[in-house]
Amino acid sequence: ETGVTQSPTHLIKTRGQQVTLRCSSQSGHNTVSWYQQALGQGPQFIFQYYREEENGRGNFPPRFSGLQFPNYSSELNVNALELDDSALYLCASRYKENTEAFFGQGTRLTVV
Amino acid sequence: EDQVTQSPEALRLQEGESSSLNCSYTVSGLRGLFWYRQDPGKGPEFLFTLYSAGEEKEKERLKATLTKKESFLHITAPKPEDSATYLCAVAIYGQNFVFGPGTRLSVLP
């Protein structure tokens, strides 16, 4: 059984650019969530996908968008990058609501 | 507003010195409380799920308990390898996880 994998592990972008982060969910999990974790803080919920549809969103602007594919892998897209977008981006998958979520190792995004 | 707080913010223990971490929550419609361990620069690692007040879970030197307003993570005779940030999160009806800020634990040899 493979766990949650994310790519890339590190990324440096310039303010105003766009970025795409990728996530492969754990086998058998059809729900994927994305979180942003600033240094020294707990993860903040961005949005969740269930069977290719967004079914929950946190307090993030529309320039944060995503996709989920038929194999349940997912992408997080961020447009018009700002310096404050620098953070660790975490993907998590689970097989059922209100059960434990399993996290990937994260993508460290630095915006300069 | 749904809120999760954790205390202390940081904790330094000597190897073998037992202690407890606290997670307090004010949420409407708790659907589960989760404890995670996070090492620097890595994703959170799942530890426990608690669903009902009075429930307890144990794993090696860790024991998690739940009341109606808070959860404790008890660490018995910790070792240096237990050093990490411990996060608690609550699952709320219709939403995803709300995380606390974490407790940074350092266990000195």
Side-chain angles (χ1 to χ4, degrees):
Chain A
E1 180 182 279
T2 56
V4 179
T5 57
Q6 294 185 240
S7 63
T9 55
H10 296 84
L11 202 52
I12 300 175
K13 288 286 189 177
T14 303
R15 189 172 51 182
Q17 285 188 315
Q18 178 265 342
V19 69
T20 297
L21 310 182
R22 294 179 174 82
C23 171
S24 293
S25 62
Q26 186 161 317
S27 177
H29 290 185
N30 55 23
T31 301
V32 173
S33 305
W34 286 90
Y35 292 81
Q36 180 195 67
Q37 187 176 25
L39 208 58
Q41 298 182 20
Q44 299 290 314
F45 173 60
I46 302 175
F47 47 59
Q48 175 175 280
Y49 279 83
Y50 171 70
R51 294 188 175 181
E52 303 178 60
E53 297 217 357
E54 183 181 302
N55 72 340
R57 189 175 184 93
N59 190 25
F60 280 81
R63 60 189 185 84
F64 286 79
S65 64
L67 282 173
Q68 187 180 31
F69 301 99
N71 66 354
Y72 302 135
S73 65
S74 178
E75 287 183 353
L76 164 65
N77 300 290
V78 187
N79 293 322
L81 284 167
E82 302 177 358
L83 297 179
D84 285 349
D85 295 333
S86 296
L88 182 68
Y89 287 85
L90 297 163
C91 169
S93 74
R94 55 186 175 179
Y95 83 98
K96 195 169 74 169
E97 190 176 358
N98 302 324
T99 61
E100 57 271 16
F102 294 91
F103 285 81
Q105 79 280 15
T107 294
R108 171 67 63 187
L109 173 65
T110 302
V111 182
V112 297
Chain B
E1 181 185 345
D2 299 318
Q3 193 171 9
V4 179
T5 59
Q6 291 186 247
S7 61
E9 182 177 324
L11 181 62
R12 182 174 288 191
L13 300 173
Q14 290 295 134
E15 184 172 1
E17 179 186 1
S18 300
S19 188
S20 297
L21 313 182
N22 175 265
C23 171
S24 296
Y25 57 91
T26 52
V27 300
S28 52
L30 178 72
R31 292 302 182 100
L33 186 139
F34 303 82
W35 282 98
Y36 286 85
R37 168 196 170 122
Q38 187 174 30
D39 293 306
K42 298 193 175 181
E45 175 189 344
F46 170 72
L47 294 173
F48 301 110
T49 306
L50 301 166
Y51 289 109
S52 306
E55 191 174 356
E56 299 182 351
K57 295 273 181 73
E58 279 189 78
K59 178 182 178 181
E60 295 180 357
R61 296 177 293 282
L62 300 177
K63 179 180 176 180
T65 62
L66 181 65
T67 71
K68 288 187 177 180
K69 291 294 182 186
E70 59 189 351
S71 176
F72 291 93
L73 184 65
H74 307 279
I75 303 177
T76 302
K79 298 182 178 182
E81 53 262 41
D82 294 322
S83 298
T85 295
Y86 290 85
L87 297 163
C88 80
V90 296
I92 302 170
Y93 179 77
Q95 299 185 36
N96 225 281
F97 287 179
V98 176
F99 277 88
T103 292
R104 292 191 312 278
L105 174 66
S106 299
V107 182
L108 307 176

